[in-house]
Amino acid sequence: MPSTDPKWSDVTPKAAWLNRRQIMAGAAAAFATPAVAQNLSTSETANTLEEITNYNNYYEFGLDKGDPAKYAGQLTIDPWAVQIDGLVDRPGSYDLADVMRMGPVEERIYRFRCVEAWSMVIPWNGIQLSHILNKVGVQPSARYVAFETLLRPEEMPGQRQGFLDWPYREGLRLDEAMNPLTLMATGLYGESMPKQNGAPIRLVVPWKYGFKSIKSIVRISLTADQPPATWNLTNPREYGFYANVNPEVSHPRWSQATERRIGGGLFNSRQDTVMFNGYGDQVASLYAGQDLKRDF
Amino acid sequence: MQIVNQALRPVPSWSMYLLGLVPLSWLVLRGVMGQLGVDPVRTVEHDLGLRALQWICFGLAISPLRWLTGINLLKFRRAVGLVAFFYAVLHLSAWLFLDIQLHWGQIWGDILRRPYITLGMLALLMMLPLALTSNTWSIRRLGKRWQKLHRLVYVAGAAAAVHFLLVGKVWVGEALIYVGIVAILLIIRRVHSQRRASPAAK
């Protein structure tokens, strides 16, 4: 929730604020060591900006994949603050600009796999979540990170209907949140985040189904217990808390063995799904000893 | 109503097949112009499925329309049913060839395990004997049994509407409207046949 105290973005002209964001993004790109970026980014061809911004599941704006592009324009994203609380040393309402200073903004080209069995490749810009969590100081008793999307029915038409329990909520285990792949994305293709993609700041967890990557985040809470997650609450049989991409665990609704790559054309878009969406080297160890058929 | 029926009299029943080709032509035209959106496979598949359901509803509406308003479209019913079947077959083809791209293991798994696909497949299978017997020779051959057989369309219509409802992750919107339409059309039939069965109740 935005605090009532004046924030940096309130006293800074918008042009200067935007300019500063761009400078920060540019500087971050220049300083990011190529080796790291290479390691975390895929070399696969990214989807076009048009595809990425016109095919979205963002039920706050409607159920159709074209609805977010149609209706998200009315969303106010400035000022924006993120409440960081729970088991942290420095809880508080952080202005977006403060959050963006907590780590370098890097480009990460990630595969993105929706539970509906379609996929894209997306060049995100953002800050590693671990940098943010380290800045606010995670207390030893914390085991999970909970996230919440903005609740503003007057600007989010989908929230005026009761088909989901708003606000949208998601969560990660702390070790998942601290993994270098886990990104708080603030942009796409080097530009600030389009509203239909979860502006101004959203989560990206590339080895999990897309619904874990919660958009337009206003709250991050460190907790001792597993936090509630919207889809998991709505239909636990279909949507597990972990939601790791797993071709071997069939979803009641969609076989997960294969996927359709958006942009692949009419006749040749289906391809095999890879365990952990291809990020097994970086994340498989997180689940050692777990039965992923049960913890799906 | 007489005026409407009189106006319809010279319209040949095959004109309904031409009308049936309009949505398909529109879809093809959008494809040629590159206006099928970010995911053309999904657009084609959904459009064809929706057309099938719309034509099923049209077919189911013909008798109620006559009972309630006197407008008689009976001579178009065969064409309407066949157009519905045509779109259902195209919808299935879009799924097989464009969407799932003939991954047969997955296709059987989907049909057996995923209720919305099972229902969709059942709806189509029930329409198959109806399409095959939609000729005058079959009507003569089957006599009373033809009428009975063609009541399968009630089940097929309900299955198709529920198939649409179950495709979505949440139950809302357009699909609920179609479930409502099919339900209302079937209820009208039920009420009508009950009244006919017991004239005393009139």
Side-chain angles (χ1 to χ4, degrees):
Chain A
M1 293 297 118
S3 72
T4 48
D5 301 327
K7 290 178 292 292
W8 186 65
S9 62
D10 292 331
V11 296
T12 309
K14 189 168 181 196
W17 175 74
L18 284 175
N19 190 28
R20 175 139 183 194
R21 278 183 70 181
Q22 270 156 12
I23 292 166
M24 282 165 53
F31 286 122
T33 54
V36 172
Q38 206 64 39
N39 189 19
L40 295 173
S41 285
T42 172
S43 56
E44 287 169 65
T45 313
N47 281 87
T48 64
L49 186 66
E50 205 222 327
E51 288 163 346
I52 296 168
T53 54
N54 287 286
Y55 198 76
N56 307 100
N57 276 329
Y58 193 172
Y59 281 9
E60 278 80 350
F61 293 105
L63 297 169
D64 189 86
K65 287 174 182 43
D67 286 341
K70 241 183 262 174
Y71 303 118
Q74 58 192 301
L75 183 67
T76 311
I77 55 168
D78 182 25
W80 193 275
V82 182
Q83 174 78 27
I84 306 181
D85 57 18
L87 304 168
V88 294
D89 297 330
R90 285 169 289 282
S93 175
Y94 290 86
D95 189 77
L96 180 65
D98 299 331
V99 177
M100 290 193 68
R101 275 194 293 262
M102 290 183 185
V105 176
E106 295 176 52
E107 176 171 79
R108 303 278 184 88
I109 306 170
Y110 283 161
R111 284 179 291 274
F112 184 90
R113 173 65 158 74
C114 179
V115 69
E116 297 164 350
W118 54 266
S119 64
M120 290 197 199
V121 175
I122 304 180
W124 304 107
N125 309 101
I127 304 162
Q128 235 175 259
L129 177 58
S130 65
H131 294 320
I132 295 171
L133 295 180
N134 287 332
K135 280 284 185 333
V136 295
V138 176
Q139 294 180 357
S141 51
R143 290 181 57 226
Y144 292 91
V145 188
F147 303 88
E148 252 178 56
T149 294
L150 177 73
L151 178 66
R152 196 180 287 158
E154 62 274 23
E155 289 181 1
M156 300 172 120
Q159 287 182 341
R160 300 202 284 268
Q161 297 167 37
F163 50 76
L164 280 181
D165 186 18
W166 311 110
Y168 193 86
R169 284 170 287 176
E170 258 304 339
L172 295 172
R173 215 168 53 193
L174 187 59
D175 57 346
E176 298 175 322
M178 295 303 264
N179 188 280
L181 282 171
T182 307
L183 195 69
M184 291 293 278
T186 52
L188 263 183
Y189 269 116
E191 301 280 331
S192 49
M193 186 69 75
K195 289 179 181 177
Q196 60 267 43
N197 293 85
I201 187 163
R202 64 168 289 172
L203 183 69
V204 177
V205 197
W207 70 93
K208 293 175 180 285
Y209 295 124
F211 68 85
K212 290 295 284 188
S213 293
I214 180 170
K215 301 182 178 86
S216 303
I217 293 168
V218 293
R219 187 166 180 210
I220 302 174
S221 299
L222 277 289
T223 63
D225 300 316
Q226 183 176 305
T230 298
W231 279 112
N232 182 237
L233 288 174
T234 306
N235 193 346
R237 201 175 73 89
E238 297 196 2
Y239 309 100
F241 176 80
Y242 286 96
N244 290 314
V245 175
N246 188 340
E248 283 150 36
V249 174
S250 177
H251 184 280
R253 196 175 288 272
W254 304 275
S255 161
Q256 299 297 2
T258 62
E259 66 202 48
R260 238 162 18 80
R261 173 64 53 83
I262 300 300
L266 266 183
F267 300 101
N268 201 20
S269 52
R270 197 160 277 274
Q271 55 190 51
D272 287 342
T273 288
V274 185
M275 186 70 200
F276 296 120
N277 203 19
Y279 297 96
D281 288 349
Q282 290 101 317
V283 301
S285 60
L286 297 175
Y287 309 100
Q290 272 180 273
D291 176 3
L292 293 178
K293 285 202 163 64
R294 205 197 46 181
D295 297 338
F296 62 90
Chain B
M1 293 317 125
Q2 267 326 98
I3 301 162
V4 177
N5 285 337
Q6 254 160 24
L8 284 170
R9 200 156 296 143
V11 179
S13 56
W14 53 258
S15 60
M16 198 50 75
Y17 295 111
L18 290 186
L19 190 66
L21 284 175
V22 172
L24 180 65
S25 313
W26 176 234
L27 182 66
V28 171
L29 193 66
R30 280 161 71 204
V32 171
M33 297 190 299
Q35 290 184 348
L36 295 178
V38 172
D39 189 359
V41 173
R42 184 186 146 93
T43 309
V44 168
E45 189 178 47
H46 284 203
D47 188 82
L48 294 170
L50 190 60
R51 297 304 178 195
L53 186 53
Q54 286 168 346
W55 283 85
I56 291 173
C57 290
F58 184 10
L60 285 175
I62 288 176
S63 284
L65 191 70
R66 192 167 59 97
W67 301 329
L68 298 175
T69 69
I71 295 174
N72 188 350
L73 299 176
L74 275 181
K75 72 171 171 184
F76 299 111
R77 198 157 62 174
R78 177 187 294 176
V80 170
L82 283 172
V83 170
F85 179 70
F86 171 65
Y87 278 103
V89 169
L90 288 179
H91 174 57
L92 172 70
S93 309
W95 180 59
L96 289 176
F97 293 100
L98 302 182
D99 185 342
I100 203 93
Q101 292 174 4
L102 301 182
H103 281 67
W104 288 105
Q106 220 174 305
I107 289 168
W108 297 126
D110 278 355
I111 292 173
L112 296 176
R113 276 211 301 265
R114 299 180 213 291
Y116 71 97
I117 297 181
T118 315
L119 271 177
M121 205 50 120
L122 278 176
L124 184 76
L125 283 180
M126 281 186 276
M127 289 166 79
L128 180 64
L130 309 193
L132 291 176
T133 58
S134 66
N135 50 70
T136 317
W137 181 78
S138 295
I139 297 174
R140 279 205 209 105
R141 266 302 290 264
L142 292 169
K144 271 215 149 92
R145 285 172 299 161
W146 188 92
Q147 190 92 40
K148 258 193 180 157
L149 178 69
H150 279 245
R151 284 191 190 135
L152 261 183
V153 73
Y154 308 154
V155 191
V162 176
H163 161 72
F164 187 21
L165 186 67
L166 294 180
V167 171
K169 280 195 279 193
V170 291
W171 289 7
V172 76
E174 219 184 347
L176 277 174
I177 295 173
Y178 282 94
V179 170
I181 291 172
V182 171
I184 289 167
L185 291 174
L186 294 183
I187 288 166
I188 295 174
R189 270 162 203 285
R190 180 103 190 120
V191 172
H192 184 78
S193 66
Q194 272 174 350
R195 283 208 186 148
R196 228 173 21 176
S198 56
K202 264 187 182 171

